[in-house]
Amino acid sequence: MKSFLSTFLILISFTAFAQTNNKMEQRKAKIQSMETQGCNEDLTQLKAASMAYCQSKEVPVIESLPCIESENEVVIRTKDEIIKRAMALLYLGLKSEGVEKKTLDRVDATYDIRPNFSSVELKYVDAENPDRQQQVNANWRYESLHVLLWALGYVEELRYPANVCDVKTDVGIIAQRSLKIFTEQAKLRSKKEILDQADLIYRLHWAVVNARIKGEESPAKLNSSVVYERHYVLNWLINYMNQDWDDVSTDT
């Protein structure tokens, strides 16, 4: 029995390693493809616009950073998917602030949230005493929620990511509406608008990561955590590598 258990655990570990390694190879292949495919005229203009914006804010850029996928290649998440994800992130944020369980249960019932949680999120949602890191990670998801509210037309613009979002205002956007009304009033932004932001955050995130590698502060007052969350959710929105929420990568 002991021998079987040891073998079983080894097999599980090997399988997990193989899956992780496979994902890394897929991401590597994706990046290489982006680097070699070149840019069509529209993507060249998009890249140029993003770089010009970065330069206007004194954010470092590199010409060699490739273009993202074109409108023809990208399939944006549906309005229904985005709304469900927004509700899940709302719950995570509220729990991270210490909102009592009976209130969270009421929010869950009002917006039918539980079916929307990812497997990783469920571990936090069901934890009676989540650790500090879980709380911090959940709280930062307010920044992802902010982007989703923008994508649904509830937030007018995504401002330069130097400061955190206005959580009270964002939560209020949802709280003052039933799920039905929230869904009816949501107006999904165009693919072009979403891709514009995806390309821009890709380049802003490169600048943040490059500074961190050099042991420097984030350039031009960029908030590295805000940039990361924004890049994460925008990659999810554009179905980057068809990854589920827990597996979204932010390759730079």
Side-chain angles (χ1 to χ4, degrees):
M1 182 66 178
K2 184 177 180 180
S3 176
F4 171 77
L5 179 59
S6 298
T7 302
F8 181 67
L9 291 174
I10 290 172
L11 285 173
I12 289 177
S13 298
F14 178 78
T15 300
F17 172 79
Q19 291 175 339
T20 300
N21 189 56
N22 185 48
K23 289 179 180 178
M24 291 176 65
E25 288 300 318
Q26 289 176 347
R27 291 200 294 271
K28 182 179 178 180
K30 181 68 174 180
I31 293 171
Q32 290 175 339
S33 174
M34 292 167 65
E35 290 173 342
T36 59
Q37 70 182 0
C39 302
N40 61 32
E41 184 177 350
D42 289 341
L43 289 178
T44 298
Q45 292 177 355
L46 173 58
K47 177 178 176 179
S50 294
M51 292 179 66
Y53 177 88
C54 290
Q55 291 169 330
S56 74
K57 298 292 186 180
E58 299 184 346
V59 176
V61 295
I62 54 169
E63 182 65 38
S64 60
L65 203 63
C67 295
I68 64 172
E69 293 89 343
S70 67
E71 288 190 45
N72 292 333
E73 297 174 293
V74 170
V75 178
I76 301 297
R77 300 279 177 177
T78 66
K79 187 171 98 167
D80 186 56
E81 286 180 289
I82 297 171
I83 289 173
K84 288 179 178 179
R85 182 97 302 267
M87 296 306 166
L89 298 182
L90 168 69
Y91 185 104
L92 296 182
L94 293 175
K95 177 164 182 171
S96 75
E97 295 190 69
V99 173
E100 57 185 9
K101 189 176 185 305
K102 66 178 182 179
T103 300
L104 290 173
D105 288 344
R106 188 164 64 249
V107 172
D108 180 9
T110 300
Y111 296 101
D112 190 25
I113 298 176
R114 189 170 181 85
N116 307 331
F117 293 126
S118 69
S119 57
V120 170
E121 289 169 342
L122 276 173
K123 293 178 182 178
Y124 172 69
V125 168
D126 292 336
E128 293 185 8
N129 297 294
D131 61 40
R132 173 63 179 167
Q133 193 58 55
Q134 284 179 304
Q135 295 281 61
V136 170
N137 292 345
N139 192 260
W140 275 113
R141 289 308 191 197
Y142 273 132
E143 294 298 329
S144 290
L145 171 61
H146 183 70
V147 175
L148 295 185
L149 290 174
W150 168 82
L152 293 169
Y154 283 109
V155 169
E156 185 175 351
E157 66 174 327
L158 290 179
R159 296 180 179 177
Y160 182 74
N163 302 304
V164 297
C165 63
D166 184 342
V167 172
K168 183 178 180 180
T169 297
D170 286 353
V171 171
I173 288 171
I174 300 175
Q176 64 188 2
R177 295 170 171 87
S178 66
L179 180 58
K180 182 176 183 295
I181 296 299
F182 183 85
T183 301
E184 290 175 349
Q185 293 181 346
K187 305 297 180 185
L188 185 59
R189 290 186 182 273
S190 69
K191 183 185 292 188
K192 183 182 184 306
E193 288 177 286
I194 293 173
L195 284 175
D196 285 352
Q197 289 297 324
D199 185 87
L200 175 59
I201 202 65
Y202 174 46
R203 300 179 198 287
L204 291 175
H205 197 191
W206 174 86
V208 168
V209 172
N210 185 57
R212 184 169 67 241
I213 291 172
K214 293 180 177 179
E216 301 171 351
E217 293 184 358
S218 292
K221 298 182 180 180
L222 286 169
N223 185 310
S224 60
S225 294
V226 174
V227 170
Y228 171 77
E229 290 295 332
R230 194 173 290 187
H231 194 184
Y232 193 101
V233 71
L234 281 163
N235 272 5
W236 178 82
L237 275 170
I238 66 173
N239 267 296
Y240 179 62
M241 292 187 65
N242 297 313
Q243 295 171 328
D244 294 329
W245 179 258
D246 287 338
D247 301 317
V248 173
S249 55
T250 55
D251 302 305
T252 58

